[in-house]
Amino acid sequence: MTPNREDYLKIILELGGDTTKVNNKQIVSSLDVSPASVSEMISKLVKEQLVEHSPYQGVQLTTAGLYKASSLIRKHRLWEVFLVEHLDYRWNEVHDDAEVLEHVTSEQLADRLENYLNHPKHCPHGGIIPQKEQVVHEERRQTLESYPLDTHIRIARVLDEKELLDYLVTIDLNIDEEYEIIDIAAYEGPITIKNETKQISVSFKAASTIFVDKL
């Protein structure tokens, strides 16, 4: 399987495609590719029985697709933990190198890496790291933009996407921080959140990829 196909399986899983339908628009936005490219790849993945497609609803991983995507995510997230904890990478710097490493990581190497890291449960972006031959089922969470004014939230997970992570670093937004939503601008404008130490305006696009826990 080519790295490009693998990237599609991973992002479908990250967007919730283990249990629900993921529409093409979400994939286009997350991978920054054209709608035509997404449609073409989805057709290939359907033929390979890695995803199921329902017109006007989206795609969902098959059992085979879920296991394949989970194995890839396990390797990717283990490398992210290693790079952050042992090579002093920042959380927005790890994606590209982990992307390269995951595609050349054998199961034996992944097992040894997991043991070396003392079996971490989550990656630096809040995603679950599955054990060997287990599938990933991220906790069902709503994204930041789905909550109303005055809601108290905790930043729980963000999509592992380089542009998003770079943006979150520039606005100083981090995993496990708690905030109150104090302003929601009209027409998909920024969402302003505040805690005791800082106030941040988060773009609507970013807010739709930031998964939070309601407090």
Side-chain angles (χ1 to χ4, degrees):
M1 176 174 288
T2 64
N4 192 29
R5 279 175 166 76
E6 294 175 342
D7 290 341
Y8 272 81
L9 293 179
K10 285 193 307 173
I11 201 64
I12 291 170
L13 178 52
E14 284 208 55
L15 291 169
D18 52 330
T19 58
T20 60
K21 301 290 185 184
V22 175
N23 62 51
N24 284 21
K25 184 178 179 181
Q26 291 174 282
I27 301 173
V28 168
S29 177
S30 299
L31 291 179
D32 194 23
V33 293
S34 70
S37 296
V38 171
S39 297
E40 181 181 357
M41 181 58 74
I42 293 303
S43 296
K44 293 178 180 178
L45 295 176
V46 168
K47 289 180 181 179
E48 295 168 6
Q49 299 183 333
L50 295 171
V51 302
E52 296 174 343
H53 179 259
S54 299
Y56 308 109
Q57 295 182 42
V59 295
Q60 187 170 340
L61 295 169
T62 63
T63 299
L66 178 56
Y67 273 95
K68 180 64 177 175
S70 296
S71 176
L72 291 164
I73 281 181
R74 173 178 179 248
K75 295 171 183 177
H76 184 95
R77 292 178 177 176
L78 285 171
W79 280 119
E80 288 186 331
V81 173
F82 177 81
L83 294 171
V84 168
E85 293 187 355
H86 296 278
L87 297 184
D88 296 325
Y89 278 62
R90 300 177 72 182
W91 76 325
N92 63 312
E93 298 173 330
V94 296
H95 177 78
D96 288 348
D97 285 343
E99 186 79 16
V100 173
L101 290 165
E102 75 180 60
H103 295 300
V104 295
T105 300
S106 66
E107 291 300 323
Q108 181 183 34
L109 177 55
D111 293 345
R112 293 192 177 193
L113 181 61
E114 183 179 33
N115 289 335
Y116 177 76
L117 295 171
N118 197 25
H119 304 274
K121 302 299 183 184
H122 295 88
C123 76
H125 313 115
I128 293 173
I129 300 176
Q131 296 181 14
K132 185 176 181 178
E133 297 181 355
Q134 286 189 340
V135 296
V136 176
H137 290 295
E138 297 286 1
E139 185 175 342
R140 296 298 106 184
R141 291 185 170 102
Q142 298 292 102
T143 48
L144 175 59
E145 99 290 347
S146 64
Y147 284 101
L149 203 62
D150 300 326
T151 304
H152 289 80
I153 54 92
R154 181 182 70 86
I155 309 299
R157 181 170 70 91
V158 301
L159 284 189
D160 188 0
E161 194 275 313
K162 183 65 166 59
E163 184 179 350
L164 169 66
L165 296 170
D166 286 342
Y167 171 73
L168 296 181
V169 167
T170 65
I171 63 173
D172 193 26
L173 185 71
N174 302 290
I175 292 290
D176 289 330
E177 292 179 337
E178 297 179 3
Y179 295 93
E180 178 185 2
I181 299 174
I182 63 169
D183 187 62
I184 301 174
Y187 295 104
E188 297 188 353
I191 296 169
T192 305
I193 55 178
K194 181 180 180 180
N195 61 21
E196 293 180 354
T197 61
K198 54 188 172 181
Q199 179 173 311
I200 300 173
S201 290
V202 184
S203 72
F204 184 88
K205 180 180 179 180
S208 66
T209 58
I210 298 172
F211 296 88
V212 303
D213 291 326
K214 183 180 178 182
L215 302 178

